[in-house]
Amino acid sequence: MKMFLSGNEAVARGAWEAGVNVVSAYPGTPSTEILENLGKYKEIYAELATNEKVGLEVAAGASFAGARALTCMKHVGLNVAADPLFSMAYIGARGGLVVVSADDPGMHSSQNEQDNRYYAKMAKIPCLEPSDSQECLEMAKLAFDLSEKFDTPVLLRLTTRISHSKGVVETGERTEHQPTGYVKDVAKNITIPAHARKMHVKVEERLKKLAEYGEHFSYNKVEKGEKKLGIITSGISYQYAKDVFPQASFLKLSLTFPLPVKMISEFINSVDEIYVIEENDTFLEEQIKADGYKISGSCAYEKEITGKAKIPIAGELDPTVLAKVFGLQKESSYKPLQLPARPPVLCPGCPHRGVFYALNKLKLTVTGDIGCYTLGMMEPLNAMDTVICMGGSVTAAMGLEKALGPEMAQKTVAVIGDSTFFHSGITGLVDMVYNNSQGTVIILDNRITAMTGHQENPGTGKTLQGQEAPIIELEPLVRSCGVKHVQMIDPLNLKQTEKAIKEAVNNPGASVIIARSPCILIEKRYRPALKVDEDKCVGCRICLKLGCPAISFDKDKKKSKIDPMLCIGCEVCASLCPKQAMGHK
Amino acid sequence: MKTVNILICGVGGQGVLLAGDIIAETAIASGFDAKKSEVHGMAQRGGSVVSHVRYGDKINSPLIREGEADVILSFEEMETARYLHFLKPDGSLIINQQQVIPMSVATGKAEYPVDIVEKIKQHIKDTVLCPGMALAEKAGSAKAVNTVLLGALARKLELAPDKWQSVISRRVPAKTVELNKKAFESGYGQK
C-alpha cells in the first residue's frame, strides 16, 4: 500500500513490519514520533522510558531474550545512553537491537550540532543512513537483519530533515518475530575485563566482515552520470546534491560505517573530479582520505578529494547553501527587509510565566534546563542565566554555590520541568542534599512533557498508550531524598510564588518548590478573555513585563490592550495591574 | 512534468502544517510524486513557521531552493517578507490579510513594518490579497482560514478542484466538511 509518511512514521512502520517486539524511548525532537507511532501497534510492547539510558538498557534486556528491540532518541539523548551503547557493542545482539539517533543539524530545537555517526565509529557498530521516508522504512527493517546476522547493535541515523519530511512510501505487512528465549551465556553477556578483552577481538573481526558486506550491499550504489564530476554522499545530502548536480555521477552510501573501501576507490578512479558532500562533520571525508592510505601505503587516489574545504561545517545544509558554494545560485532581485524577529514564545496562560516573572523581579541567578520553560530566557522575562543539558540546572546551581559560598545559594535558583526532573534531575537533587547544599530547586510541574508535544511521564499517571499507571508523586519523592523545605505552589498566583521563592532561597539547607499547574494546552481551562478598562489603565506597561502574547501596547491611545482571540483568562495580568484595569468587564 | 514548488509560511498555531499536508496529498491523489518538509517541536507556537511542498514526476530534495518557489502562500503579512527571496521572479504570491504581532513589537522594542504589503506588491506582479478571516467567518467559522487560503492556491495550480475537495473532506472534522467546502470555494473565487 502507498502511504504519505514522515521519516519517523516510516521508521516506526518499518520496525513494525520487521516484527519488533519491545520499544523503549524518551521523547526528544526530532525523534519523538517514532515512539508515538510504535505505541499505536498492539503487537508491540512500547513504553515511555524515564531517560535514554533506561530506554537502551530495556531494549538490550529484550535483545537478551531473543526479542527484536528498538530504542530511539535525539542526538544528545545518545550522550545519555552512550554508556550502555558501548557495552552492548561488545556484547552484541541475540535478538535484533536497533538504536535510532535523530540528529539536528541547524539546531532547530537543540543545544548543539553533533554528528552521531561518530558514535557508530567509536562504538565500532554499523551505521545506516536513509535519505528519504521510503528508505527509512526499508532500513529500519534491514537494521534488525543486520543486527542479528552480525551479532551487533545497529545505529540507524536520521537527521531532522529526514525525520520531519514526508514522502510517498510503499508499505508491506508485518512478519512476526517470536522471541527465541533467554539463554545463559556469561562469557557473552557479562562485560568483566576478562570477557571484554576477548569481546574486543570479536568486535574488530566483526568490523572487517561488515566492511566486506558493505562492498556488495545493495543500498551502497553507484549512479552513473557524467564522468567529469563524481559525488560521494549519504542521507539527506544525497537529495540536495541530486537536485543541484543532476548530471553528475553519484556514489550514494547507506552503510556509512564501516565504509566499502574498494567500492569507493573504484568510484574515485572512474571520475575526473571528486566531491564528498555531507552535512556538518567530515565523517565520510576523513575516512575516505584515510582509506586511500590504507589501500596502498601511500595515497591511492591520484586526485584531490574536496569536501569541507568548500561546504560549511556549521549549520544545516540545504540545496541553496550547496548551490551557493558551487557558484550556482542566482542572486535574488528582492532585497530582504529588516524585520522584527519572531521566535517561539510561552503560550498565553502558560503557568511557567508567573515563576519567571517572579524570578526576574527578585533578580535571582537562574540555572535553566531543557524544556518549553527554556523560553523563560527570552525578552521581556529574561529570567535565565545558564542552560547546559537535561538535568544540568540542579547541579549547575550547586556548582555556583560551592564556588562562591552559601551567599550565592541565596541568590540562585535552579528551574527544571517535571519530566526532566524524572529524566535526570533527581540524581542532581540527591547530590545537593548529600553534599549539604543550601540550594533552591523549582520543579515546574505542568503535568506533562510539553516541549516534544505532550507525552505522558511518570508523574502523570498514564502510560504511552494512555492507560492508567501509578503516579510517582513529586512531593514525597523529594522529601525522601532528604529535602526538608518543600513547598507546593500555584504559579498562577504571583504573590504566593514570590513569597515561596523568598522563603526557599533564605532557608538553610536544600529547598524544593513544586510549582504545579497543568500545561494550558492539555487542560484547556479557558475562561473568558479579559478586557482592559481604558479609563483605569494609566499606560504604566507593567503588564507587558509578563511577555504574554495576548497583551500589547496601543501607542496612540497609550493603553494596554488584550487580544480576545489569544487570551485564555488566566488572570495573571489582572493580579499584577496596580490599577485593577484588567478584568472581565 | 516540471516540479511545482510551494512554500507556505505563517505563525505557529495558524495551521500552516496542515495546509502543507493537504497540498501534498492532493498532488499525490492526482498521480504525482510529492515531498513535504517542515520543522516542529520546541514550542513553535507564536514562532515563525514554514513548510515546503514539492510535487512532480520525481522529487529529490524536500526543500525548495531560494528563488525557485512557484507560489508562496502566506498566512501572515510580515512573514511573507521573511521568505520572499524563495519566490521565482515570475512567481505568484497569496497573502492572507492578517497581522500577528510578535513579542518585540508588543512590548514596544520593535515596529511592525509599515505598508509591508504595499512594499511587497511593488516587487511581485502576481499578488493576491485574501481576506481569509472574513471569508472564513462568512463560510461559517473563523477556523477555516486554512481552507479559504487553499482555495485561493488551488486557482494557481493545475490540480483538479474535486481532488482538493476530497482530500480536505478527509482531513477536517466530519462536522465541518460542508463549511470547509464553502470556505474552499470562497477562496477559489479570489483573484
Side-chain angles (χ1 to χ4, degrees), chain A residues 220-394:
Chain A
N220 286 340
K221 61 179 175 213
V222 174
E223 291 172 2
K224 277 216 167 117
E226 285 177 6
K227 184 174 177 286
K228 220 176 109 219
L229 178 63
I231 292 169
I232 304 177
T233 184
S234 69
I236 194 67
S237 305
Y238 163 77
Q239 307 287 6
Y240 301 154
K242 207 64 189 165
D243 269 7
V244 177
F245 303 102
Q247 77 290 355
S249 291
F250 279 82
L251 172 57
K252 176 186 185 296
L253 296 170
S254 297
L255 181 63
T256 51
F257 188 79
L259 283 182
V261 175
K262 275 180 255 157
M263 194 182 201
I264 290 170
S265 131
E266 275 170 30
F267 180 73
I268 291 174
N269 289 331
S270 74
V271 292
D272 298 339
E273 231 187 321
I274 190 86
Y275 284 96
V276 178
I277 296 181
E278 60 188 325
E279 202 171 30
N280 285 159
D281 287 353
T282 51
F283 184 74
L284 297 176
E285 187 182 341
E286 277 173 36
Q287 288 188 81
I288 290 167
K289 284 180 175 167
D291 284 347
Y293 289 90
K294 201 154 74 188
I295 296 167
S296 67
S298 60
C299 190
Y301 319 128
E302 283 163 10
K303 57 190 69 112
E304 185 104 3
I305 296 168
T306 312
K308 288 295 147 181
K310 231 176 157 66
I311 299 158
I313 202 159
E316 190 179 18
L317 192 61
D318 64 35
T320 310
V321 171
L322 200 54
K324 274 182 185 162
V325 297
F326 282 91
L328 299 170
Q329 181 70 25
K330 274 187 233 145
E331 279 296 308
S332 169
S333 61
Y334 174 74
K335 292 205 175 45
L337 303 170
Q338 281 291 328
L339 300 172
R342 195 192 292 273
V345 287
L346 290 175
C347 299
C350 173
H352 301 328
R353 182 171 282 110
V355 173
F356 288 117
Y357 176 79
L359 291 171
N360 176 318
K361 190 179 165 199
L362 296 170
K363 301 214 174 352
L364 293 165
T365 298
V366 178
T367 55
D369 220 296
I370 310 286
C372 283
Y373 51 90
T374 312
L375 295 170
M377 55 80 60
M378 308 278 292
E379 291 265 5
L381 293 162
N382 296 319
M384 200 171 284
D385 293 83
T386 68
V387 172
I388 311 170
C389 62
M390 294 282 284
S393 65
V394 180

Side-chain angles (χ1 to χ4, degrees), chain B residues 51-119:
Chain B
S51 177
H52 296 231
V53 180
R54 311 186 69 207
Y55 67 87
D57 294 333
K58 163 94 175 83
I59 304 300
N60 293 307
S61 163
L63 288 176
I64 301 168
R65 228 163 108 176
E66 285 176 17
E68 295 201 346
D70 297 281
V71 188
I72 290 182
L73 178 65
S74 173
F75 280 50
E76 203 271 348
E77 292 180 6
M78 183 173 85
E79 291 309 307
T80 323
R82 206 183 299 283
Y83 298 98
L84 205 56
H85 57 290
F86 274 93
L87 195 65
K88 269 185 183 162
D90 58 346
S92 310
L93 192 54
I94 300 163
I95 307 176
N96 180 32
Q97 288 170 298
Q98 192 183 336
Q99 296 189 348
V100 181
I101 306 298
M103 190 50 63
S104 53
V105 172
T107 56
K109 288 240 160 88
E111 295 268 356
Y112 194 95
V114 187
D115 298 333
I116 184 81
V117 172
E118 286 309 310
K119 281 178 193 154

Side-chain angles (χ1 to χ4, degrees), chain A residues 77-92:
Chain A
L78 196 48
N79 301 336
V80 179
D83 204 359
L85 178 73
F86 282 68
S87 288
M88 287 312 290
Y90 272 33
I91 290 171

Side-chain angles (χ1 to χ4, degrees), chain A residues 13-64:
Chain A
R13 175 79 192 192
W16 176 77
E17 288 181 13
V20 68
N21 307 105
V22 173
V23 178
S24 178
Y26 183 80
T29 310
S31 74
T32 313
E33 298 81 9
I34 301 171
L35 178 67
E36 284 184 332
N37 282 284
L38 280 165
K40 291 175 190 164
Y41 295 111
K42 54 184 184 311
E43 300 88 347
I44 302 171
Y45 172 77
E47 64 166 35
L48 277 159
T50 36
N51 68 29
E52 295 83 357
K53 179 179 186 294
V54 169
L56 177 48
E57 288 159 352
V58 170
S63 173
F64 283 136

